[in-house]
Amino acid sequence: MADDLLQAPAWKALQRHATALSGTHLRDLLEQPGRFAAFSRQQGDCLLDFSRNRITADTLNLLIALAGEREVPGRIEALFAGEVVNGTENRPAQHMALRGPPSPPLLLKGADIRLEIEAERERMLDLAEAIRTGEYRGATGERIRHVVNIGIGGSDLGLVMAIEALHEFRTPEVQIHYVSNVDGTQLADVLVQTPAAATLFIVCSKTFVTWETALNANAARTWFIGQLGEAAVARHFVAVSVNGPAMDKFGIAEEHRFRMWDWVGGRYSLWSSIGLAIAIAIGSEHFRALLAGGRELDEHFRTAPLADNLPVLLALVAVWNQNLQGTTSQAILPYDGRLHRFAAYLQQLEMESNGKGVTRDGQPVQWSTGTVIWGEPGNNGQHSFFQLLHQGTASFAADFIAPVEGSSPYADQHLVGLANLLAQAEAFARGYTLEAAQAELTAKGKAPAEVTRIAPHKVHPGNHPSNILVLRRLDPRSLGFLIALYEQKVYVQSCIWGINPFDQWGVELGKGMAVGMHDELQSATPTSALPPIGHVIRQWSNDS
Ligand code: F6P
């Protein structure tokens, strides 16, 4: 079977190579001269140091051979050429087209879609600017001071992450709020802060049928009508969707509808009008810089040789760690508080994309795919979960991410953060041996018996792989580059694993079941479809 990764000659060679390398500790690999030069790459203002992975020059050569055998170059071309890379939904994945006009015409089903994309972007940016400057007024003539983005998943995570990351570029004139969760807590918290006359709601939903978003949007609409009346809805609600009829029904004015296309996946959509809240927060010039950063990465991805190609290298190292070194999760550890939602954003990007159990042709995979992504700002993590990372039994990989120029005015403090980043990456890699612990305790004058008793507790096994990604600074352009870097990394991983990263059938089962459970919870005569605890929940709910 062409899609059988296990039969790829480079894969078999990598397995033998992994066995041969298994006795070598990362601390020994780090002693090799020239290691940083061999295992780091810079593109513009982004530097990737992947030297703290359990790799040698042979590993890298074999991984690159694997990329060749898995037809990564051809698949990159297919992606950019607009071929149907999402076979189960019979669609291309053209989110790159949203980042700016490529030089050749972009043909989809025979039509050049560049003009449509540009026209839609300009309309979206015009509205964003009008809100920022105060030219756009609410129904009573008041200036818009609050924007509430109602959306979930790809209609929330990317734009929240970007707006938080670009805090320094935000206008103080308009406050952005987010409502995603169905339970109503965010909505309740937001609606006490937003005077209706000064608030614009963005209903962000590619499909416009997402239950959570529909409930939140309808509740916001009802609240709004209670404040200003139905006639004002058209002025205070805008929407981004592919679903015209649903927007009709909701009462979204024609000029306040922004188009999406079915060839943009939700988790790849912040570059489109789904990013309207980003554009309002940072302005059109910065939004264009964000797109330019993504474009710069695309150009690099498309043209750089595999051995110098940042997304390819990140993907290959991740596959090596997961499939051949046994890591079971990937920690995302930014050392800049502005990136505090980056891990949450990457969770959807990577886990919804590559969390698949069958190959593109529907065969069950015989190798692990997808990666459990998790993370927090690294410095905070040091004082909570890093204990487990250093001395627990979990096998993980980590990405440390930081701008060198910090996002706060406290440059000295940011430098302390960077020192921590370096120290943690080194400690993960090198660990701390029993001999070192014994010597330390002896030097402190501990009795031999005490040294023997305590030293094992001070051992850090080390040998934990990590990447360090540094940006010169965190700005719209570098953020665009960073986001696109991970998008394309995910694509390369999917090519190696032979899976479709652009569908997400796995989210559907639970969605359908939730409708049934809701009916059962509301029913006077629930059936056995409601599990026992559901009966208790129903009872308690009726009591309250
Ligand atoms: O349930 C998952 C999902 O379909 C994501 O893929 C998507 O980003 C999210 O829901 C929101 O979808 P929509 O933008 O259509 O409301």
Side-chain angles (χ1 to χ4, degrees):
M1 182 177 50
D3 248 350
D4 194 348
L5 172 63
L6 305 184
Q7 296 311 317
W11 185 261
K12 292 181 178 175
L14 277 163
Q15 286 178 312
R16 289 192 295 274
H17 175 69
T19 307
L21 208 60
S22 61
T24 309
H25 197 283
L26 196 39
R27 83 169 68 89
D28 300 320
L29 293 174
L30 287 175
E31 296 309 316
Q32 291 172 341
R35 191 167 172 86
F36 174 70
F39 301 122
S40 64
R41 301 286 186 276
Q42 186 176 347
Q43 173 62 33
D45 284 344
C46 176
L47 172 68
L48 168 65
D49 174 2
F50 57 104
S51 64
R52 284 175 204 75
N53 288 284
R54 296 191 292 256
I55 58 172
T56 65
D58 287 344
T59 324
L60 190 54
N61 289 337
L62 286 170
L63 286 169
I64 288 166
L66 179 70
E69 288 174 17
R70 302 298 284 169
E71 298 172 349
V72 168
R75 293 201 173 277
I76 295 173
E77 272 316 301
L79 176 71
F80 281 95
E83 287 179 23
V84 174
V85 288
N86 178 358
T88 60
E89 294 177 309
N90 202 25
R91 292 171 185 164
Q94 281 284 28
H95 45 280
M96 296 85 60
L98 300 167
R99 309 206 246 262
S103 34
L106 192 57
L107 297 179
L108 264 191
K109 295 179 187 153
D112 183 357
I113 54 168
R114 286 176 309 172
L115 297 178
E116 206 178 297
I117 293 170
E118 276 168 49
E120 209 58 20
R121 185 191 304 140
E122 293 313 309
R123 284 185 59 228
M124 185 274 276
L125 292 179
D126 284 351
L127 177 65
E129 284 304 327
I131 290 167
R132 286 166 62 81
T133 57
E135 185 195 326
Y136 186 97
R137 300 275 161 161
T140 64
E142 230 182 279
R143 188 170 171 175
I144 298 297
R145 296 287 183 188
H146 299 270
V147 166
V148 182
N149 190 84
I150 302 178
I152 195 166
S155 298
D156 170 66
L157 289 163
L159 63 96
V160 175
M161 176 276 290
I163 294 169
E164 294 294 299
L166 299 174
H167 183 94
E168 270 59 44
F169 298 83
R170 278 154 67 161
T171 175
E173 301 290 347
V174 186
Q175 232 185 304
I176 315 283
H177 310 265
Y178 317 100
V179 175
S180 56
N181 201 304
V182 76
D183 67 6
T185 52
Q186 288 168 302
L187 185 65
D189 290 353
V190 165
L191 293 184
V192 293
Q193 301 171 51
T194 51
T199 301
L200 182 85
F201 294 89
I202 306 174
V203 186
C204 231
S205 177
K206 178 178 168 183
T207 56
F208 226 83
V209 297
T210 303
W211 202 5
E212 292 85 347
T213 301
L215 285 173
N216 279 322
N218 282 315
R221 188 176 185 278
T222 303
W223 170 86
F224 180 85
I225 290 171
Q227 306 277 313
L228 287 189
E230 188 148 11
V233 166
R235 195 83 195 135
H236 288 260
F237 282 77
V238 305
V240 189
S241 181
V242 294
N243 189 344
M247 289 190 279
D248 286 343
K249 201 164 159 215
F250 193 90
I252 302 289
E254 191 61 43
E255 69 274 20
H256 290 159
R257 296 174 185 196
F258 295 94
R259 277 200 69 185
M260 274 279 282
W261 298 269
D262 65 3
W263 41 261
V264 185
R267 55 195 173 274
Y268 299 89
S269 65
L270 68 86
W271 318 95
S272 71
S273 296
I274 291 284
L276 173 59
I278 306 176
I280 295 170
I282 66 172
S284 53
E285 195 185 319
H286 292 315
F287 191 84
R288 288 186 209 280
L290 181 83
L291 301 184
R295 239 173 16 240
E296 184 188 335
L297 183 283
D298 287 340
E299 188 57 22
H300 164 76
F301 181 50
R302 202 172 177 174
T303 57
L306 296 179
D308 296 323
N309 196 310
L310 297 187
V312 171
L313 290 167
L314 264 186
L316 291 176
V317 166
V319 167
W320 164 256
N321 285 334
Q322 177 167 328
N323 295 88
L324 294 142
Q325 298 289 296
T327 59
T328 55
S329 74
Q330 169 89 41
I332 301 297
L333 305 170
Y335 276 71
D336 185 314
R338 299 298 184 218
L339 287 171
H340 73 109
R341 293 298 288 161
F342 198 67
Y345 157 75
L346 273 191
Q347 278 176 332
Q348 187 196 14
L349 179 66
E350 293 216 18
M351 296 168 81
E352 197 167 64
S353 296
N354 282 340
K356 308 291 163 62
V358 296
T359 57
R360 284 186 295 268
D361 56 7
Q363 302 298 318
V365 291
Q366 307 296 328
W367 47 91
S368 97
T369 66
T371 306
V372 175
I373 300 284
W374 60 282
E376 272 290 310
N379 190 225
N380 289 341
Q382 286 173 227
H383 297 272
S384 66
F385 55 81
F386 271 43
Q387 166 63 38
L388 180 148
L389 301 184
H390 284 298
Q391 291 194 306
T393 53
S395 180
F396 65 92
D399 280 1
F400 291 90
I401 305 171
V404 172
E405 199 180 290
S407 297
S408 83
Y410 303 103
D412 298 351
Q413 291 190 212
H414 184 64
L415 201 63
V416 175
L418 293 178
N420 274 279
L421 177 159
L422 292 171
Q424 294 297 331
E426 285 286 293
F428 280 165
R430 294 176 191 274
Y432 193 60
T433 63
L434 183 64
E435 295 70 33
Q438 288 167 337
E440 178 204 322
L441 291 165
T442 304
K444 284 181 177 158
K446 299 285 180 203
E450 193 65 352
V451 170
T452 305
R453 190 173 75 82
I454 301 296
H457 297 276
K458 296 187 69 118
V459 170
H460 294 50
N463 213 18
H464 296 299
S466 68
N467 297 305
I468 298 179
L469 252 177
V470 290
L471 308 170
R472 201 173 284 276
R473 68 187 67 80
L474 186 59
D475 59 22
R477 192 173 180 111
S478 66
L479 182 70
F481 187 94
L482 182 70
I483 297 168
L485 171 60
Y486 276 96
E487 283 183 356
Q488 303 298 20
K489 172 216 170 191
V490 165
Y491 181 65
V492 175
Q493 281 176 296
S494 79
C495 299
I496 302 288
W497 287 324
I499 57 178
N500 176 2
F502 296 118
D503 61 12
Q504 58 281 320
W505 301 100
V507 300
E508 298 305 331
L509 175 65
K511 278 186 195 172
M513 289 170 71
V515 175
M517 290 298 169
H518 189 236
D519 290 345
E520 293 283 350
L521 286 172
Q522 290 184 311
S523 165
T525 51
T527 72
S528 59
L530 193 65
I533 191 164
H535 288 270
V536 178
I537 291 172
R538 182 179 155 278
Q539 188 57 52
W540 288 12
S541 161
N542 288 341
D543 292 348
S544 61

